[in-house]
Amino acid sequence: MLWFKDISSFRLKLITLFSFLVIISMGFVAISTSFFLHKILINYMYTYLNNQAKPVIEFYSIYSNDLTKEAKDMIDDITSENITAVVLSSNGNIISVGSFEDSEKPIALNKNILNQFLKKPIGTFEENGEDYAYIVKKTRDVYFVVIGRLREINKVIKRFVYILLTLTIGVVIFSVLSIYAILNKILKQLDDITKISEEIYAGNIDINIPDSSSKDEFGIMFRAFKNMVEKLNNTIKIQKNFIADVSHEFKTPISYIKAQIEFILTGVYQEDEIFDVLRKVYKQTDVLSKFTEDLLALARLESNIPISKTNVDVVSLLNQLKDEFSIQNRNIILDVKSQDTWIADPHYLKIAVKNLLENAIKYSDKDIVLGYTGDCIYVKDFGPGIPKEDIPFIFDRFYRVSKDKRGLGLGLSIVKAIAQIHNFSLKVEVKEGTTFYICK
Ligand code: ADP
C-alpha cells in the first residue's frame, strides 16, 4: 500500500479508496449472486431431469419385464434438444447411448466415466468444452442415466454476470462522479483556507474571506478559521497602530519636557515664569508615568504573577474612589444596593474600577453613577456610548474607538486581565450612555 501513501492529493486518495471499495463490494456481490444463481439453476435442472425421467421409467416398468430390451425406446422417449440418456446394465455395462436431437453422434461417455456416475448419482460434468448435468435412476435391472445440457443455464448466468458487470461499471462511475462533486465542494473550503493562510504568510492581511453557508463540519471549521483570521488581522492592525500610538504618546511629552528643560537651562525663561513651566513639565511626567504604569500592570497581570487576595469591603472601596474622583469636578453618584465583601486583590480591584471611572470621565461630560447591585460593581455614564461593531474589540489591547481623546487603548484590557485573574465576569451595556459591570 506504499503507492497509496505516496498519492499527494487527498481527493485522489479518497476517490481511489472509494472506487476500490465499490469495485470490491460489487465484485463480491456479483460473484456470490452468480454462485447462488448457478446453484439454484442446476438444482432446477436436476428436478427437471427427474420429472422427465419419472414417467418414462414408470411406463416401461409396467410395460416390460426386461428393461434391457427397452433401453433404446426409453432413450428415444426422453430425448429432446437438451436432454438425452444412457442405459447401463446392473453390472455397469453400456446397453444403449443416446444423442441429443440436434446431433447425430451419441454422447461421448465411456464406461469408466459412466460407472463413476453410478457412485455419485447426481452431478455435472464437462465434455468437449460443454457443461452437462446428469441424474442416475436405478430401475430394476438397469441404470437410467439422464443427461441435460447446461447450455441455456450457462447463457442465463453469462447474461446475469454481464448485466452485473455493466451495473458495477455504472455504479462505480456514478459513485466516483458523485463523491468527486461532494469532495470538490468540501475541499474547496480547505483550498480556500490554504490560499488564505498563504496570503497571510506573505504578509497580506487585508483579505476578504468569503462566507460559508455550509452546515457540515467543514463549514463550521471554515467559519472558525474565518473568525480566527479576522481576529488575527485585527491584532496585527492593532499592533501596527500601537507602534505609532506609543511613539506618539511617549514622544510628545518627552520632547516637551526636553525642550522646556533646555529653555530653562539656556535662560529663555524669566525667573518668575520658571515655576509655571515646571508645573507643566510635572504634568507631562504624570502622563508618562501613567502610560508606563499601565504597560507594566498589563505585563504583570499577563505573566500570571500570583495576586494576594483578601476580603475587600466593596462599599468602602467605592466610597474611597468617589472621594478620589470628586476632586476632578465631576459629580459621582453612589448607588449601593448592599453591603458586601469580595475576595480579591484590593490593589487590582481598585485599578479596575478606577480605569472604568477614568473612561467614564474621559468619554462623557455628565454625572457618573458608581454602584453595587449585590453581584456587580458598575460604572455608568451618560456619554455617546460605544458603536455596536466596536464592542467585541474594546477589551483588546491597544484597541481604541475614539482617537480624539488621549489614551493608549490599555485601560479596558487591564480591567479584563484583572477580571480574568479573579474569575470575575465583565459586561458592557450601551443604553443612554455606557455601563460597565464587573461581577463576582
Ligand atoms: P483608551 O486609552 O482609548 O481609553 P480603553 O481600553 O480604556 O482605551 O478603552 C478602549 C476604547 O473604548 C476607547 O478608545 C473608547 O473609545 C471606548 N470606551 C471605553 N470606555 C468608554 C465609555 N465609558 N464611553 C465611551 N467609549 C468608551
Side-chain angles (χ1 to χ4, degrees), residues 359 362-363 381 386 394 399-402 407-409 411-412 434:
N359 277 352
K362 192 157 58 165
Y363 297 108
D381 66 51
I386 303 168
I394 52 170
Y399 191 86
R400 306 195 59 216
V401 182
S402 61
L408 266 183
L412 288 182
T434 312

Side-chain angles (χ1 to χ4, degrees), residues 91-270:
N91 54 12
N93 288 328
I94 299 174
I95 301 172
S96 182
V97 180
S99 57
F100 291 104
E101 223 167 60
D102 55 356
S103 151
E104 252 117 72
K105 275 202 272 164
I107 181 127
L109 288 172
N110 61 36
K111 192 182 165 195
N112 281 348
I113 298 177
L114 285 163
N115 278 312
Q116 274 174 24
F117 288 0
L118 302 187
K119 285 181 205 149
K120 189 181 171 233
I122 190 162
T124 56
F125 67 94
E126 198 201 305
E127 178 66 41
N128 270 339
E130 204 176 333
D131 294 324
Y132 302 91
Y134 70 87
I135 58 163
V136 181
K137 294 299 236 184
K138 173 92 172 80
T139 321
R140 285 202 328 246
D141 43 355
V142 296
Y143 286 106
F144 192 39
V145 183
V146 187
I147 298 161
R149 269 174 171 160
L150 291 178
R151 202 182 273 173
E152 290 307 314
I153 288 181
N154 283 351
K155 258 193 213 160
V156 170
I157 291 172
K158 255 190 204 148
R159 208 171 301 144
F160 175 75
V161 169
Y162 177 75
I163 292 171
L164 264 187
L165 209 72
T166 324
L167 206 72
T168 307
I169 294 171
V171 169
V172 170
I173 292 175
F174 177 77
S175 341
V176 166
L177 286 181
S178 356
I179 194 144
Y180 186 76
I182 296 170
L183 266 183
N184 254 359
K185 197 168 169 265
I186 291 172
L187 293 181
K188 187 181 172 301
Q189 308 191 47
L190 283 186
D191 285 346
D192 285 349
I193 289 178
T194 313
K195 271 186 217 138
I196 294 164
S197 308
E198 280 167 359
E199 290 271 334
I200 294 174
Y201 183 72
N204 177 14
I205 57 163
D206 281 319
I207 327 158
N208 191 17
I209 305 175
D211 271 326
S212 165
S213 57
S214 165
K215 290 193 175 62
D216 57 22
E217 288 82 349
F218 283 90
I220 295 169
M221 184 186 78
F222 188 80
R223 280 190 292 278
F225 178 77
K226 181 179 154 93
N227 289 345
M228 186 197 75
V229 169
E230 278 170 2
K231 185 96 185 168
L232 184 71
N233 283 351
N234 218 35
T235 312
I236 295 172
K237 274 182 203 154
I238 287 169
Q239 292 200 335
K240 273 186 179 170
N241 291 341
F242 167 69
I243 313 270
D245 284 352
V246 167
S247 36
H248 174 75
E249 295 299 334
F250 274 91
K251 258 186 193 164
T252 317
I254 288 172
S255 314
Y256 179 82
I257 294 166
K258 201 174 159 210
Q260 295 306 319
I261 292 175
E262 261 173 24
F263 291 155
I264 293 171
L265 292 176
T266 50
V268 174
Y269 291 118
Q270 304 293 322

